[in-house]
Amino acid sequence: MKIKTPEFPLWLLLVCSQLLDMVFLPFSLASVESIEAIGDGGYGKVMIYECYTHSFVGGLCLPIIAADLAGIFWSKKIAGI
């Protein structure tokens, strides 16, 4: 991707790859999605309820919304506004 569009900053490509996980954090803090310990807890012993961010619809809608916002930002930046 960076070879085809060198004007994209590297941080943007990293954010794109982790977008759903980055949206999960505010949803978790707002108690929309949750993480619950199973048994004693510990590594790998949690149940993560990601019904909105990691669902099929969420996986389609969140990148579209992010692309629209990025398009608005970059079109203004390119136009010099």
Side-chain angles (χ1 to χ4, degrees):
M1 182 74 175
K2 186 75 173 167
I3 294 171
K4 292 182 182 180
T5 54
E7 66 274 2
F8 278 4
L10 181 60
W11 68 265
L12 178 64
L13 299 175
L14 295 172
V15 166
C16 290
S17 67
Q18 296 296 317
L19 180 64
L20 299 180
D21 293 328
M22 293 174 73
V23 174
F24 171 75
L25 182 63
F27 277 29
S28 178
L29 293 173
S31 298
V32 175
E33 298 180 335
S34 63
I35 300 174
E36 295 180 11
I38 299 173
D40 296 334
Y43 182 76
K45 295 183 180 179
V46 294
M47 179 64 73
I48 303 172
Y49 296 101
E50 300 169 326
C51 300
Y52 297 105
T53 56
H54 289 74
S55 66
F56 181 73
V57 175
L60 290 176
C61 292
L62 288 173
I64 290 171
I65 293 168
D68 287 342
L69 292 174
I72 291 169
F73 175 75
W74 265 276
S75 65
K76 286 182 181 179
K77 189 174 179 181
I78 291 171
I81 296 174

